[in-house]
Amino acid sequence: MDNPLDSLCIVMIQTSHPGNIGSAARAMKTMGVNDLRLIQPNKFNSPETSALASGADDILVAAQHFDTLSAAVADCQTVIGTSARSERTVSWPQLAARQCGEFVAEHLPSRKIALVFGRERSGLSNEELEHCHYLAHIPMAKEFFSLNIAAAVQLFCYECRMATQAKPESSSLQPGDRDDIPATSEVMEGFYQHLETTLTDVRYLDPENPRLLMRRMRRLFGRSAPTQNEVSMLRGMLAAFQGRKFQRRSS
Ligand code: SAH
């Protein structure tokens, strides 16, 4: 693959200002990042979008539209949420923007990685955070910590580009053999649903009072980044607990 950044996608959730989508497209194109995914933007085809894209219209035209985050990142193996805040109830593994670039460079192109950007007003919801393996943050001045979303997209794409270029050619990982393929978000979502049902069946999880159990499970399994085969093994195990057989999907 010529450009490892082709395996990186930018996801924007319910962006309010159409101009921000145009500015983000421009920011992406200057850094060689081309895959834009939009989830229910407030307005998309506005003259402001195109004006602020300033020549990066091809990214807007090719942008894919989705209804939910899980659909937008279904084919990705790693999902990195970006947040203006750094503290949360169940803390996610955190990456500073520079570390995020290094992480991305280390894993491209053998993994598909999504960088997710939240709403201008409220950022990412807790439910959306559950789809993320990491949270990345641009440290800001204490006196004024309001960063425009397109500026954040620019900065993350810049860090990813710099780190990717700094990586020696020979160390660039190519997709491994079938046994090594990291599970995609879609496969992991199937596993989490199966896990939740099984834990409910065996009365370990009380649906009336689930507390943070599934969130903690997501964190645990997300951290271990299992391969497709390992997820099949785990699902086989869950099926056995339920006295059923798990039918692997042939892919
Ligand atoms: N009040 C919101 C701010 C959202 S800004 C909040 O507290 O979350 C809109 C989006 O821009 C954020 O969801 C994030 O994706 C990105 N962003 C803004 N500032 C950032 C920062 N310092 N680090 C990482 N991402 C940031």
Side-chain angles (χ1 to χ4, degrees):
M1 188 180 292
D2 295 334
N3 176 10
L5 292 172
D6 284 345
S7 297
L8 178 69
C9 66
I10 300 296
V11 181
M12 297 178 81
I13 304 183
Q14 291 183 340
T15 311
S16 310
H17 300 291
N20 278 339
I21 301 176
S23 298
R26 180 181 183 180
M28 288 169 62
K29 189 158 181 178
T30 56
M31 296 295 120
V33 179
N34 298 303
D35 186 348
L36 176 62
R37 302 180 181 194
L38 300 169
I39 300 175
Q40 302 183 353
N42 178 28
K43 248 196 211 154
F44 175 61
N45 275 330
S46 111
E48 224 185 327
T49 319
S50 183
L52 283 157
S54 183
D57 301 78
D58 51 332
I59 299 215
L60 297 175
V61 171
Q64 299 177 72
H65 290 255
F66 297 90
D67 286 334
T68 60
L69 180 56
S70 64
V73 298
D75 61 335
C76 299
Q77 279 105 0
T78 303
V79 181
I80 304 177
T82 62
S83 171
R85 285 169 286 172
S86 50
E87 84 295 341
R88 294 273 178 177
T89 337
V90 175
S91 57
W92 261 247
Q94 310 253 335
L95 299 168
R98 181 134 312 163
Q99 290 173 296
C100 175
E102 286 161 0
F103 177 94
V104 166
E106 190 187 330
H107 293 98
L108 291 185
S110 60
R111 286 190 200 186
K112 196 153 186 61
I113 301 182
L115 277 179
V116 183
F117 294 83
R119 299 154 191 83
E120 288 97 326
R121 286 246 169 90
S122 53
L124 297 170
S125 69
N126 280 337
E127 210 234 313
E128 287 155 357
L129 274 171
E130 287 183 4
H131 290 274
C132 301
H133 303 103
Y134 297 89
L135 261 190
H137 176 69
I138 303 164
M140 294 180 285
K142 257 202 234 112
E143 305 74 38
F144 191 68
F145 46 89
S146 161
L147 183 65
N148 171 262
I149 185 169
V153 171
Q154 180 81 70
L155 198 133
F156 277 109
C157 289
Y158 170 79
E159 290 294 349
C160 293
R161 181 176 181 81
M162 289 300 108
T164 309
Q165 288 187 340
K167 197 171 76 162
E169 240 352 84
S170 57
S171 74
S172 111
L173 286 171
Q174 292 302 318
D177 59 34
R178 282 209 57 83
D179 277 358
D180 290 340
I181 298 174
T184 59
S185 249
E186 188 179 25
V187 167
M188 289 310 289
E189 284 312 309
F191 167 67
Y192 292 131
Q193 271 167 26
H194 196 167
L195 180 64
E196 190 167 358
T197 319
T198 311
L199 295 178
T200 309
D201 286 354
V202 300
R203 302 216 173 104
Y204 183 72
L205 175 70
D206 176 3
E208 301 295 310
N209 185 20
R211 290 191 261 186
L212 292 175
L213 183 63
M214 284 314 296
R215 193 174 296 177
R216 290 185 198 281
M217 289 287 179
R218 280 172 179 270
R219 223 168 45 123
L220 167 66
F221 287 104
R223 201 167 56 230
S224 70
T227 62
Q228 310 264 28
N229 277 348
E230 286 166 340
V231 174
S232 292
M233 176 185 76
L234 289 169
R235 292 199 60 174
M237 220 167 74
L238 292 176
F241 291 150
Q242 293 175 307
R244 296 193 195 121
K245 250 201 157 142
F246 172 59
Q247 211 60 47
R248 269 186 78 144
R249 260 199 331 190
S250 52
S251 52

